[in-house]
Amino acid sequence: MRLIRLGDETSAVGADVRAALASWGRGDGVVGGIALIGCKPPDCPEPVDAIVVLPRGIMVVVGVDLPDPAMRLDAPVNGQWKVDGWPLVRADGAVNPAAEAVQAATAVVARLQAQRVEPMPVGTVIAVGPYVARVSQPSNDLARGIRILHPEPTTLLTAARELAVYEHRCSPQRANAILAALVPNHPPFTPEELSGEGFTESAGAGLASASTLLIPRVTLSEHRPVTPARPAAKRLGWLPVTAVLLVGLLLVTGIVVAIAAASDQPQATEGPKTSVSVAQQATQVVDGVAYAPKGKVQDTDCQSRAFGDMQVWLQANPCAALTRSRYESTAGNEPIAVLLADLTFQDAGRAEAFLKVASAPGTGSIIDPSVHGTPWPDGRKPIFDSAAYQAKQTGAGVRIVQVIWLDKASTPDDAALVAAARRSLNLPA
């Protein structure tokens, strides 16, 4: 983790945020990435304590100073906060301190969209201090990618593991594009510098595999070349002639048995397939609203195209096929992007069970094909992190719809987007 100090912390707990990030050490020994301390991107209303650009996602960290240390904090994003059972109030009448944090994260997403940067998951971390032993959050807030915590090395690492969920690592070129959008005046990093922080073309291990129990201290002296051990010389002992003949006979017999067994086994099935279609498709009309098709991607590897509890369920109960269709349409007079995911199962019973998972808050969703290397046409780069969401079952199939604004920030509870998502459920398969 490389820290770049651009300004002062915006809160007292911001010093704890900086210390926790610094404890991860330089390089990708723990997480990697670039942390912009005291950053105020263009078009953002206020500076934030940190914007952490990780190889698989982005975290916007906003500090909130509580009046006193607390044992328990009940912190709904859209409701009254309570500290050890007592309501938290502020002189200006704000419901809770989360509104500014969500606004800051939304502004960062809008900035990246305006600069047409390749989409990356953007999570919000509200760091509370001076100390909180336990934070209670509603599951729907967790599903929106919002984490409220006291900043420590392990708690921040847990948040990074849960929020940075991109399947592929961000390349050095793409990382520089993200950093240029957030800090236009900062000189770009060299590919070697970014590679040392985990930004590579290869997939590599995800943050989900990073241990949050112990964070090692990384020093340059630890990166020493490992000399491969020489294989121990084998001595061939002498065997009686009869033993040699017996060993040879056993080898021949084993080969014959293996060939016979192999011939009885069924042929191995083919691995997952992906088919991308960008052929011109006819415009669809639903309830008088036109939908312009923007390509279709068909898969058989459904679980790798999902995240969260939904991915876990699909790993145990694979679907037969997944089709992700993309459209551009309008809600009112403003443009929207629509991502349809049609999952087909072996029977209606499995589809019904999957719908229960897909409909519950905080269980993940289906990933846009741009994450897997199929960009949107026309240079559009929509980010579905804060999309309005709808799902329904039809027989052995389940359809999931995600809708966002194309030219401004989105929220999952936006009434116009929710209405558009419900309407989009009726698009032809």
Side-chain angles (χ1 to χ4, degrees), residues 159 168 198 214 282:
H168 300 291
L214 178 62

Side-chain angles (χ1 to χ4, degrees), residues 5 8 77 103 127 170 194 203 257:
R5 186 157 188 169
D8 295 331
V77 171
Q103 183 181 12
C170 179
L194 292 172
V257 172

Side-chain angles (χ1 to χ4, degrees), residues 287-345:
D287 296 340
V289 179
Y291 287 77
K294 297 297 178 181
K296 180 181 295 186
V297 178
Q298 296 177 314
D299 286 289
T300 57
D301 186 11
C302 306
Q303 58 266 29
S304 69
R305 309 313 184 197
F307 67 91
D309 292 343
M310 196 179 297
Q311 182 185 47
V312 175
W313 193 94
L314 288 170
Q315 288 172 344
N317 307 273
C319 71
L322 166 65
T323 300
R324 290 172 291 173
S325 306
R326 302 186 289 193
Y327 296 87
E328 290 184 11
S329 184
T330 56
N333 295 321
E334 299 184 80
I336 59 174
V338 181
L339 174 62
L340 257 63
D342 289 307
L343 298 94
T344 304
F345 295 90

Side-chain angles (χ1 to χ4, degrees), residues 66 70-76 79-89 95-97 132 134-136:
L66 301 178
M71 294 303 298
R72 177 185 174 90
L73 173 65
D74 297 295
Q80 176 71 61
W81 282 23
K82 293 183 179 180
V83 178
D84 293 331
W86 294 90
L88 182 67
V89 296
V95 176
N96 63 53
V132 176
R134 180 184 175 189
V135 179
S136 176

Side-chain angles (χ1 to χ4, degrees), residues 34 36 42 53 58 108 111-120 170-189 194 199 381:
I34 306 291
L36 307 174
V53 182
I58 300 171
V108 170
R111 171 67 181 176
L112 295 176
Q113 287 180 334
Q115 295 298 305
R116 300 202 167 187
V117 176
E118 287 291 337
M120 284 273 281
C170 179
S171 67
Q173 179 181 5
R174 187 173 165 198
N176 264 329
I178 293 173
L179 294 169
L182 299 176
V183 192
N185 297 328
H186 194 278
F189 292 95
L194 292 172
F199 296 97
K381 297 176 181 178

